[in-house]
PDB file of all heavy atoms in Angstrom:
ATOM      1  N   ASP A  70     255.970  82.106 -40.004  1.00 98.00           N
ATOM      2  CA  ASP A  70     256.713  81.945 -41.208  1.00 98.00           C
ATOM      3  C   ASP A  70     257.964  82.833 -41.100  1.00 98.00           C
ATOM      4  O   ASP A  70     257.937  83.792 -40.263  1.00 98.00           O
ATOM      5  CB  ASP A  70     255.856  82.393 -42.392  1.00 98.00           C
ATOM      6  CG  ASP A  70     256.550  82.315 -43.692  1.00 98.00           C
ATOM      7  OD1 ASP A  70     256.922  81.224 -44.053  1.00 98.00           O
ATOM      8  OD2 ASP A  70     256.666  83.387 -44.336  1.00 98.00           O
ATOM      9  N   ILE A  71     259.012  82.577 -41.802  1.00 98.00           N
ATOM     10  CA  ILE A  71     260.241  83.452 -41.667  1.00 98.00           C
ATOM     11  C   ILE A  71     260.381  84.401 -42.842  1.00 98.00           C
ATOM     12  O   ILE A  71     260.261  85.630 -42.642  1.00 98.00           O
ATOM     13  CB  ILE A  71     261.502  82.581 -41.488  1.00 98.00           C
ATOM     14  CG1 ILE A  71     261.454  81.768 -40.208  1.00 98.00           C
ATOM     15  CG2 ILE A  71     262.748  83.497 -41.482  1.00 98.00           C
ATOM     16  CD1 ILE A  71     262.656  80.880 -39.940  1.00 98.00           C
ATOM     17  N   ASP A  72     260.604  83.904 -44.048  1.00 97.00           N
ATOM     18  CA  ASP A  72     260.855  84.790 -45.160  1.00 97.00           C
ATOM     19  C   ASP A  72     259.594  85.549 -45.566  1.00 97.00           C
ATOM     20  O   ASP A  72     258.584  84.975 -45.876  1.00 97.00           O
ATOM     21  CB  ASP A  72     261.380  84.008 -46.399  1.00 97.00           C
ATOM     22  CG  ASP A  72     262.738  83.415 -46.134  1.00 97.00           C
ATOM     23  OD1 ASP A  72     263.640  84.144 -45.668  1.00 97.00           O
ATOM     24  OD2 ASP A  72     262.919  82.206 -46.331  1.00 97.00           O
ATOM     25  N   GLY A  73     259.719  86.922 -45.520  1.00 97.00           N
ATOM     26  CA  GLY A  73     258.575  87.701 -45.862  1.00 97.00           C
ATOM     27  C   GLY A  73     257.667  88.036 -44.660  1.00 97.00           C
ATOM     28  O   GLY A  73     256.708  88.802 -44.823  1.00 97.00           O
ATOM     29  N   ILE A  74     258.036  87.514 -43.515  1.00 98.00           N
ATOM     30  CA  ILE A  74     257.260  87.767 -42.242  1.00 98.00           C
ATOM     31  C   ILE A  74     258.201  88.449 -41.204  1.00 98.00           C
ATOM     32  O   ILE A  74     257.933  89.507 -40.694  1.00 98.00           O
ATOM     33  CB  ILE A  74     256.647  86.497 -41.683  1.00 98.00           C
ATOM     34  CG1 ILE A  74     255.467  86.086 -42.567  1.00 98.00           C
ATOM     35  CG2 ILE A  74     256.204  86.642 -40.230  1.00 98.00           C
ATOM     36  CD1 ILE A  74     254.251  87.011 -42.430  1.00 98.00           C
ATOM     37  N   GLN A 270     259.763  85.553 -50.831  1.00 93.00           N
ATOM     38  CA  GLN A 270     260.173  86.928 -50.774  1.00 93.00           C
ATOM     39  C   GLN A 270     261.560  87.071 -50.090  1.00 93.00           C
ATOM     40  O   GLN A 270     261.698  86.638 -48.957  1.00 93.00           O
ATOM     41  CB  GLN A 270     259.177  87.755 -49.962  1.00 93.00           C
ATOM     42  CG  GLN A 270     259.428  89.224 -49.946  1.00 93.00           C
ATOM     43  CD  GLN A 270     259.175  89.819 -51.366  1.00 93.00           C
ATOM     44  OE1 GLN A 270     258.136  89.654 -51.942  1.00 93.00           O
ATOM     45  NE2 GLN A 270     260.222  90.504 -51.866  1.00 93.00           N
ATOM     46  N   LYS A 306     255.184  73.233 -46.046  1.00 98.00           N
ATOM     47  CA  LYS A 306     253.885  73.758 -46.144  1.00 98.00           C
ATOM     48  C   LYS A 306     253.490  73.803 -47.630  1.00 98.00           C
ATOM     49  O   LYS A 306     254.350  74.001 -48.457  1.00 98.00           O
ATOM     50  CB  LYS A 306     253.861  75.224 -45.632  1.00 98.00           C
ATOM     51  CG  LYS A 306     254.218  75.393 -44.188  1.00 98.00           C
ATOM     52  CD  LYS A 306     254.475  76.868 -43.831  1.00 98.00           C
ATOM     53  CE  LYS A 306     255.778  77.402 -44.382  1.00 98.00           C
ATOM     54  NZ  LYS A 306     256.084  78.821 -43.988  1.00 98.00           N
ATOM     55  N   ASP A 347     253.064  85.018 -45.174  1.00 98.00           N
ATOM     56  CA  ASP A 347     253.044  86.024 -46.275  1.00 98.00           C
ATOM     57  C   ASP A 347     252.601  85.422 -47.578  1.00 98.00           C
ATOM     58  O   ASP A 347     252.306  86.139 -48.522  1.00 98.00           O
ATOM     59  CB  ASP A 347     254.364  86.712 -46.445  1.00 98.00           C
ATOM     60  CG  ASP A 347     255.403  85.748 -47.028  1.00 98.00           C
ATOM     61  OD1 ASP A 347     255.662  84.669 -46.397  1.00 98.00           O
ATOM     62  OD2 ASP A 347     255.987  85.992 -48.100  1.00 98.00           O
ATOM     63  N   ASN A 348     252.570  84.080 -47.673  1.00 98.00           N
ATOM     64  CA  ASN A 348     252.328  83.442 -48.944  1.00 98.00           C
ATOM     65  C   ASN A 348     250.931  82.726 -48.944  1.00 98.00           C
ATOM     66  O   ASN A 348     250.764  81.683 -48.306  1.00 98.00           O
ATOM     67  CB  ASN A 348     253.422  82.390 -49.205  1.00 98.00           C
ATOM     68  CG  ASN A 348     253.405  81.887 -50.668  1.00 98.00           C
ATOM     69  OD1 ASN A 348     252.358  81.842 -51.314  1.00 98.00           O
ATOM     70  ND2 ASN A 348     254.532  81.486 -51.179  1.00 98.00           N
ATOM     71  N   ASP A 352     251.251  79.306 -46.933  1.00 98.00           N
ATOM     72  CA  ASP A 352     250.975  79.451 -45.471  1.00 98.00           C
ATOM     73  C   ASP A 352     249.447  79.425 -45.170  1.00 98.00           C
ATOM     74  O   ASP A 352     248.982  78.745 -44.297  1.00 98.00           O
ATOM     75  CB  ASP A 352     251.580  80.807 -44.989  1.00 98.00           C
ATOM     76  CG  ASP A 352     253.039  80.885 -45.289  1.00 98.00           C
ATOM     77  OD1 ASP A 352     253.769  79.931 -45.049  1.00 98.00           O
ATOM     78  OD2 ASP A 352     253.455  82.009 -45.807  1.00 98.00           O
TER      79      ASP A 352
HETATM   80 MG1   MG B  24     257.257  83.322 -46.320  1.00 72.05          MG
END
Side-chain angles (χ1 to χ4, degrees):
D70 177 60
I71 295 181
D72 293 311
I74 286 290
Q270 188 67 54
K306 298 168 288 183
D347 68 303
N348 191 333
D352 306 313

